[in-house]
Amino acid sequence: MSQFKYIALAAELKHKIISNVWRAEERLPSIRVLSSEYQVSKVSVQNALHKLEANGLVKARSRSGYYVVAQDSSSPVLSQTTQKAPGLVTMPAVFHEIMARSAAFDIYPSGNVKAPSSHIQTLNRNINRAMRQQAARHALYYGSPKGDIALREQISQHYRGRDLFISAEEICITSGCQNSLFLALSSCCQPGDTVAIESPSFYGILQLLQTLKLNVIEIPASFSDGLPTQALEQAAQQWRIKACIVTPNFATPTGACMPQEEKRTLCRLAQKYEFTLIEDDIYGDLGFHFSTQPLKGLDQQNNVILCSSFSKSLSRDLRTGWIMGGKHHEAIVHLSMVNNLANNQAVQQGLARFISEGHFRRHLLQYRQTLEKQRNELINILRENWFVPFTYTTPSGGLALMVTFEQTVNCIHIYQEAIKEGIIPTPGNLFSTNDAFSNSMRLSFVHEISGKRLAAIKRLGQLVRSHV
Amino acid sequence: MSQFKYIALAAELKHKIISNVWRAEERLPSIRVLSSEYQVSKVSVQNALHKLEANGLVKARSRSGYYVVAQDSSSPVLSQTTQKAPGLVTMPAVFHEIMARSAAFDIYPSGNVKAPSSHIQTLNRNINRAMRQQAARHALYYGSPKGDIALREQISQHYRGRDLFISAEEICITSGCQNSLFLALSSCCQPGDTVAIESPSFYGILQLLQTLKLNVIEIPASFSDGLPTQALEQAAQQWRIKACIVTPNFATPTGACMPQEEKRTLCRLAQKYEFTLIEDDIYGDLGFHFSTQPLKGLDQQNNVILCSSFSKSLSRDLRTGWIMGGKHHEAIVHLSMVNNLANNQAVQQGLARFISEGHFRRHLLQYRQTLEKQRNELINILRENWFVPFTYTTPSGGLALMVTFEQTVNCIHIYQEAIKEGIIPTPGNLFSTNDAFSNSMRLSFVHEISGKRLAAIKRLGQLVRSHV
């Protein structure tokens, strides 16, 4: 009987979670309180909680009790993109402006910004110190085209924590992840070549493909598991794919993560069909609860080019990224020199010191917690304030989630109305060459949603409603 | 009779200058002393000095007397490049390493570096202040793809002093002059197009042409007057030229400056033969005695793309350049965003303030004097310590001059020996796709030639001697 009681209790508690009576990250009443409230034994309560925990609905925190886990309302759904023959990318010019605004990841950019964290202040002090100490040398000499060796060594060490073992020699500093992606694509593709991407995909990549006159084939991806290797293999059998760009960990806009086995399969496919894998790892350090291995860590053929930067994990104003070029590394270093000559030495030296003293690691620990908290708050706000049907992704890392409305909604129109009021959602239209995601938008949880940002989110819900 | 006396005296004084008895920038004995020494009237001395001044051998400084003007031993000589049909650029891979080292413009990079000037310190303080004041915003938002508007306005105002009137809207900030040149060439040329360059020409441009798979046609240039428009027109009649890259003011390695009338003709040719003029203006602010107008100031058809940066005039570690894209500006801004996303905001804001408060202008006044003094010292050191036949250019601005030895000398070999001792000359081989300048080398006067740098220059003379 006690068995039935705990199952019935689990069902009741689950209902409270699903229906948002208990919100994400909320602490559940104590076992004693639940036992008394539902008139069941403490053992039954405990069994019910264990069942919920096994189903991923709650999680225990030691000496603190049980908490509601944020739920993904839409997993695992394949995106609506219909796969088409490879073709050149054409993006309406109006998209460029939206892209420039959307890079801010802020629903209301004129809102207040919190004071910088103590880690950012420490970083700035380190950069200032490097500027002062080497002022004359920095003014008179360019940095090495490969980048500061101390920084490259710190990056090399940092990746060990994610099961990627690579020497500083195999890393080249760039002016950011976008620049790394540019160097990667320019080095392994010629105009007219075909590049496979997941769909939805980062709009900066679509722009790159357009600029470099490359053909694109969009592989419909899962909102939770990212690029499906089976669909990619079918495409590779049909078309000559020269490169595949993928964000295996916390891809934008969905926040999807490829399962480890899929990552392995992807590396095997790259070898089998002889294409280069270009890995966008910019969100790789932002997993809330688990560390994610980069594809590069599974790359036995030196066939993966990893691109990343500190922009999303630390500061967008460092203009410091990196690339691990694999087979193409030498050509990439040369292209980087021709393209950019060198990068800021004081920033690199300050960063190297900041990382070596453990500040980056500590910053990440804190930042991940903040991001998870803000993701949960955003989801709760949406569920309580948006009176329209919508689904949303619940990424386990990164900076943003994707909401999807009914098929008839076109988010470009919502964007155009919102922007008049200073509200900047990122319409899904930007993440594909077709209109598969026109009824989706990316919402960021980089900022605390309160004050004017809270008002902006609520207002956005009203605008959506008028379009349903 | 007095007329003959002053001519004879002028000839004697000239001999002393040419034979380096009186060295560049040395003050001549006073008129009274010369009058007594040569037993001629003061009027004759004065007439002789006027004649020397008219010939450019001496110059008067008010209330201070006459000074020896540094002599250009090789003007105006056309370079030895034989003009060939357009072809792809192929540079030996070994050159890449030499180029990376040569960017330092330092004969002995392990030598001491003087403390930074007070202006550089002021600049760093301004950048630090911008970092502190906007720390949270900078961490969370990318800068505008076009660059900081305050900086663009300062650049716009700065160019007024050189007779170029252009609005901030027509300027885009880049990560340096090399990046600007990359954007310019990528925007107006397709692989296979033909680009005309002066010869000798900056090796960074040759690398760009190679990387972008462009054909090059090298126009033999004057060591003092730069690109000859007549030869360019002949080439334009014979071949379809898509773009012409030129450094009209203080071109590296010679320091040549195009006469104003030639600049006008060049702009007319660009219109007549429908090619884009890409102007490398990186040394434009470094004229010792006169301000030089950029081609862009003579550009009535919006057909000139001006590329520049602060690297040579202020600091190599700012990673901040600019581009004025003319007709191509919109495409260039977009390409810059795809290539590089944004630039460091704190640096741009610090620079804008530094310029607006007049520090940049004052820094340039001081730096030009220092450079001229060091150019003269370098020439004197070469003439006194190099016991080999050589000629040299005497640029009236910029950072370096070019020395040329007998035809049999190959400076790549000298470089390879010198580098073993930490001495880094820039072999002329780097400045052309053929071996027209293999018997030349670029020597920089960015640093004071004393101590270990003086020893390095002397040692280099010995190495050359062993190759003659």
Side-chain angles (χ1 to χ4, degrees):
Chain A
M1 318 306 114
S2 134
Q3 211 180 356
F4 287 114
K5 277 190 185 155
Y6 96 78
I7 290 176
L9 176 59
E12 279 205 54
L13 299 183
K14 180 178 175 179
H15 180 74
K16 284 200 168 181
I17 293 166
I18 298 291
S19 61
N20 214 31
V21 173
W22 289 340
R23 312 184 338 159
E25 289 302 300
E26 189 171 328
R27 197 173 75 166
L28 266 59
S30 70
I31 293 175
R32 195 180 48 74
V33 170
L34 287 173
S35 161
S36 135
E37 192 174 318
Y38 287 93
Q39 294 291 316
V40 294
S41 71
K42 284 183 185 167
V43 171
S44 292
V45 173
Q46 206 125 39
N47 286 338
L49 290 172
H50 286 164
K51 184 173 157 63
L52 293 175
E53 192 172 18
N55 293 342
L57 289 163
V58 303
K59 65 184 171 197
R61 285 190 195 152
S62 63
R63 289 193 218 98
S64 169
Y66 284 84
Y67 288 77
V68 176
V69 170
Q71 294 306 303
D72 187 338
S73 68
S74 62
S75 66
V77 167
L78 270 199
S79 72
Q80 301 288 320
T81 305
T82 44
Q83 195 175 304
K84 288 186 296 193
L88 287 174
V89 178
T90 50
M91 300 286 276
V94 65
F95 279 20
H96 300 158
E97 183 216 302
I98 308 179
M99 290 167 181
R101 289 181 201 271
S102 295
F105 273 83
D106 187 358
I107 191 74
Y108 197 75
S110 51
N112 289 334
V113 175
K114 275 204 281 191
S117 76
S118 65
H119 296 117
I120 298 289
Q121 290 174 18
T122 303
L123 172 62
N124 285 348
R125 272 198 303 276
N126 278 329
I127 295 171
N128 289 347
R129 192 185 304 147
M131 281 177 75
R132 279 199 310 277
Q133 285 175 347
Q134 296 281 324
R137 282 237 158 234
H138 289 159
L140 286 166
Y141 300 91
Y142 291 104
S144 148
K146 284 184 182 178
D148 184 79
I149 181 65
L151 177 60
R152 290 189 283 130
E153 273 165 4
Q154 288 304 321
I155 292 171
S156 158
Q157 281 183 30
H158 179 75
Y159 270 102
R160 290 188 203 166
R162 292 176 57 207
D163 285 329
L164 166 56
F165 300 87
I166 194 158
S167 74
E169 267 313 296
E170 296 165 275
I171 302 170
C172 175
I173 302 298
T174 68
S175 67
C177 191
Q178 182 74 21
N179 190 239
S180 298
L181 290 167
F182 177 91
L183 298 172
L185 269 178
S186 302
S187 297
C188 66
C189 294
Q190 305 282 333
D193 282 348
T194 294
V195 176
I197 61 171
E198 60 203 315
S199 180
S201 196
F202 170 49
Y203 48 74
I205 289 169
L206 294 171
Q207 286 187 297
L208 257 177
L209 296 171
Q210 179 176 25
T211 303
L212 298 175
K213 299 185 179 61
L214 295 164
N215 289 306
V216 67
I217 181 157
E218 298 184 73
I219 312 290
S222 154
F223 287 1
S224 58
D225 293 353
L227 182 71
T229 54
Q230 204 183 351
L232 177 66
E233 179 155 26
Q234 283 164 10
Q237 283 163 349
Q238 202 175 351
W239 315 101
R240 170 77 187 100
I241 290 175
K242 199 69 186 293
C244 172
I245 313 182
V246 63
T247 308
N249 300 314
F250 318 117
T252 200
T254 59
C257 255
M258 286 180 78
Q260 187 74 1
E261 203 38 61
E262 281 284 89
K263 289 182 189 171
R264 280 187 215 284
T265 307
L266 183 54
C267 290
R268 278 196 295 269
L269 288 186
Q271 188 191 346
K272 182 172 172 190
Y273 294 96
E274 295 178 336
F275 57 80
T276 303
L277 266 176
I278 301 176
E279 172 174 33
D280 181 349
D281 188 45
I282 195 159
Y283 303 105
D285 271 319
L286 298 181
F288 302 151
H289 296 290
F290 50 90
S291 152
T292 55
Q293 190 178 24
L295 291 178
K296 186 77 193 156
L298 300 162
D299 172 30
Q300 293 174 350
Q301 311 295 320
N302 216 10
N303 203 16
V304 175
I305 303 178
L306 181 146
C307 302
S308 194
S309 91
F310 295 108
S311 289
K312 301 297 196 273
S313 60
L314 195 51
S315 163
R316 285 156 187 76
D317 212 32
L318 298 168
R319 310 317 306 131
T320 304
W322 57 90
I323 188 164
M324 304 171 184
K327 282 177 191 160
H328 300 273
H329 197 66
E330 202 182 328
I332 284 171
V333 170
H334 182 236
L335 180 60
S336 176
M337 185 169 89
V338 169
N339 176 238
N340 208 29
L341 205 56
N343 291 291
N344 187 292
Q345 301 169 82
V347 168
Q348 293 180 72
Q349 291 164 2
L351 266 167
R353 183 150 183 177
F354 177 80
I355 303 172
S356 74
E357 291 179 348
H359 300 295
F360 185 45
R361 203 176 46 76
R362 285 192 288 276
H363 160 78
L364 284 174
L365 287 175
Q366 192 184 76
Y367 194 41
R368 289 174 191 133
Q369 283 185 8
T370 305
L371 287 172
E372 189 191 19
K373 184 170 148 284
Q374 288 173 178
R375 178 204 63 183
N376 295 333
E377 283 167 1
L378 173 61
I379 289 174
N380 287 328
I381 289 165
L382 296 179
R383 287 170 63 174
E384 284 169 17
N385 293 281
W386 277 16
F387 305 105
V388 289
F390 69 97
T391 59
Y392 55 90
T393 63
T394 307
S396 48
L399 305 179
L401 53 78
M402 188 168 89
V403 294
T404 301
F405 309 106
E406 290 173 359
Q407 287 278 351
T408 51
V409 176
N410 188 338
C411 290
I412 277 284
H413 300 148
I414 296 168
Y415 169 85
Q416 279 155 350
E417 287 178 19
I419 197 169
K420 290 178 198 155
E421 304 178 29
I423 301 169
I424 320 272
T426 308
N429 314 56
L430 264 60
F431 299 97
S432 168
T433 64
N434 58 54
D435 55 5
F437 308 103
S438 58
N439 59 328
S440 297
M441 57 172 68
R442 184 180 72 183
L443 294 176
S444 154
F445 43 80
V446 168
H447 297 265
E448 202 177 10
I449 305 288
S450 61
K452 289 187 174 168
R453 284 191 184 83
L454 178 58
I457 282 281
K458 289 181 181 173
R459 175 69 185 135
L460 190 61
Q462 294 173 347
L463 290 175
V464 174
R465 200 170 181 198
S466 71
H467 279 265
V468 172
Chain B
M1 316 297 115
S2 136
Q3 208 179 356
F4 287 113
K5 277 189 184 157
Y6 95 79
I7 291 178
L9 176 59
E12 281 205 54
L13 299 183
K14 180 179 175 178
H15 181 73
K16 286 200 166 182
I17 293 167
I18 297 291
S19 62
N20 214 30
V21 173
W22 289 340
R23 311 185 339 160
E25 289 303 300
E26 189 171 328
R27 198 172 76 166
L28 267 60
S30 70
I31 292 176
R32 195 179 47 74
V33 169
L34 288 173
S35 160
S36 134
E37 192 175 317
Y38 288 93
Q39 294 289 317
V40 293
S41 71
K42 286 182 184 168
V43 172
S44 292
V45 173
Q46 203 125 39
N47 286 340
L49 290 171
H50 286 164
K51 186 175 157 58
L52 292 177
E53 192 172 19
N55 293 342
L57 290 163
V58 302
K59 64 182 172 198
R61 284 189 194 152
S62 64
R63 288 193 220 99
S64 169
Y66 283 84
Y67 288 77
V68 176
V69 169
Q71 293 306 301
D72 186 338
S73 68
S74 62
S75 67
V77 167
L78 269 200
S79 71
Q80 302 287 320
T81 305
T82 44
Q83 195 174 305
K84 287 186 295 193
L88 287 173
V89 178
T90 50
M91 301 285 276
V94 65
F95 279 20
H96 300 159
E97 182 216 303
I98 308 179
M99 290 168 181
R101 289 180 201 270
S102 295
F105 274 84
D106 187 358
I107 192 74
Y108 197 74
S110 51
N112 290 333
V113 175
K114 275 204 281 190
S117 77
S118 65
H119 296 118
I120 298 290
Q121 290 174 16
T122 304
L123 172 63
N124 285 348
R125 272 198 304 276
N126 278 330
I127 294 171
N128 288 347
R129 193 185 304 149
M131 281 177 75
R132 278 199 311 277
Q133 285 175 347
Q134 297 281 323
R137 284 235 157 236
H138 289 159
L140 286 166
Y141 301 92
Y142 291 105
S144 150
K146 284 184 181 177
D148 184 80
I149 181 65
L151 178 60
R152 289 188 283 130
E153 272 165 6
Q154 288 303 321
I155 292 171
S156 158
Q157 281 183 30
H158 179 76
Y159 270 102
R160 290 188 202 166
R162 291 176 57 206
D163 286 329
L164 166 57
F165 300 87
I166 195 156
S167 75
E169 268 313 295
E170 297 165 275
I171 301 170
C172 176
I173 302 297
T174 67
S175 67
C177 192
Q178 182 74 20
N179 190 238
S180 298
L181 290 166
F182 178 89
L183 297 172
L185 268 179
S186 301
S187 297
C188 67
C189 293
Q190 306 281 333
D193 284 347
T194 293
V195 176
I197 61 171
E198 60 204 314
S199 181
S201 196
F202 170 49
Y203 48 74
I205 290 170
L206 294 172
Q207 286 187 296
L208 257 177
L209 296 171
Q210 180 177 24
T211 302
L212 297 175
K213 299 184 177 61
L214 295 164
N215 289 306
V216 66
I217 181 158
E218 298 184 72
I219 312 288
S222 153
F223 287 3
S224 58
D225 293 351
L227 183 69
T229 54
Q230 205 184 349
L232 177 67
E233 179 155 26
Q234 283 164 9
Q237 283 164 348
Q238 202 176 350
W239 317 100
R240 170 76 188 100
I241 290 174
K242 199 70 187 291
C244 171
I245 313 182
V246 62
T247 307
N249 300 313
F250 318 118
T252 199
T254 58
C257 256
M258 285 182 76
Q260 187 73 1
E261 203 38 62
E262 281 284 88
K263 290 183 188 170
R264 280 186 213 285
T265 307
L266 182 55
C267 289
R268 278 196 296 268
L269 289 186
Q271 189 191 347
K272 183 172 172 188
Y273 294 95
E274 294 178 337
F275 57 81
T276 303
L277 266 176
I278 300 175
E279 173 174 33
D280 181 349
D281 189 44
I282 196 161
Y283 303 105
D285 272 318
L286 298 180
F288 302 150
H289 295 290
F290 50 91
S291 153
T292 54
Q293 189 179 24
L295 291 177
K296 187 76 193 157
L298 300 163
D299 172 30
Q300 293 174 350
Q301 311 295 320
N302 215 12
N303 204 16
V304 175
I305 304 178
L306 181 146
C307 301
S308 193
S309 91
F310 294 108
S311 289
K312 301 297 196 275
S313 59
L314 195 50
S315 164
R316 284 157 188 75
D317 212 31
L318 299 169
R319 308 318 305 135
T320 304
W322 57 90
I323 187 164
M324 304 172 183
K327 282 175 191 163
H328 300 273
H329 197 65
E330 203 181 328
I332 284 171
V333 170
H334 183 237
L335 180 60
S336 175
M337 184 168 89
V338 170
N339 176 237
N340 207 29
L341 206 54
N343 291 291
N344 187 292
Q345 300 169 82
V347 169
Q348 292 180 71
Q349 290 163 4
L351 265 168
R353 183 150 183 176
F354 178 80
I355 303 172
S356 74
E357 290 179 349
H359 299 295
F360 186 44
R361 203 177 46 76
R362 285 193 287 277
H363 160 77
L364 284 174
L365 286 174
Q366 193 182 74
Y367 194 41
R368 289 174 191 134
Q369 282 184 9
T370 305
L371 287 172
E372 189 191 17
K373 183 169 149 284
Q374 289 173 178
R375 177 203 66 184
N376 294 334
E377 283 168 1
L378 173 61
I379 290 174
N380 286 328
I381 289 165
L382 296 179
R383 287 169 64 175
E384 283 170 16
N385 294 282
W386 277 17
F387 305 104
V388 289
F390 69 98
T391 60
Y392 56 91
T393 63
T394 308
S396 47
L399 306 179
L401 53 79
M402 189 169 88
V403 294
T404 301
F405 309 106
E406 291 173 1
Q407 287 277 351
T408 52
V409 176
N410 188 339
C411 289
I412 277 284
H413 300 149
I414 296 169
Y415 168 86
Q416 279 155 347
E417 288 179 19
I419 197 168
K420 290 177 199 158
E421 304 179 28
I423 301 169
I424 320 272
T426 308
N429 314 56
L430 265 60
F431 300 97
S432 168
T433 63
N434 58 53
D435 57 2
F437 308 105
S438 57
N439 59 328
S440 296
M441 57 172 67
R442 184 180 73 182
L443 294 175
S444 154
F445 43 81
V446 167
H447 296 265
E448 203 177 9
I449 306 287
S450 60
K452 288 186 174 169
R453 285 190 184 82
L454 178 58
I457 281 281
K458 288 181 182 172
R459 175 70 185 132
L460 189 60
Q462 293 172 348
L463 290 175
V464 174
R465 199 170 182 198
S466 71
H467 280 264
V468 171

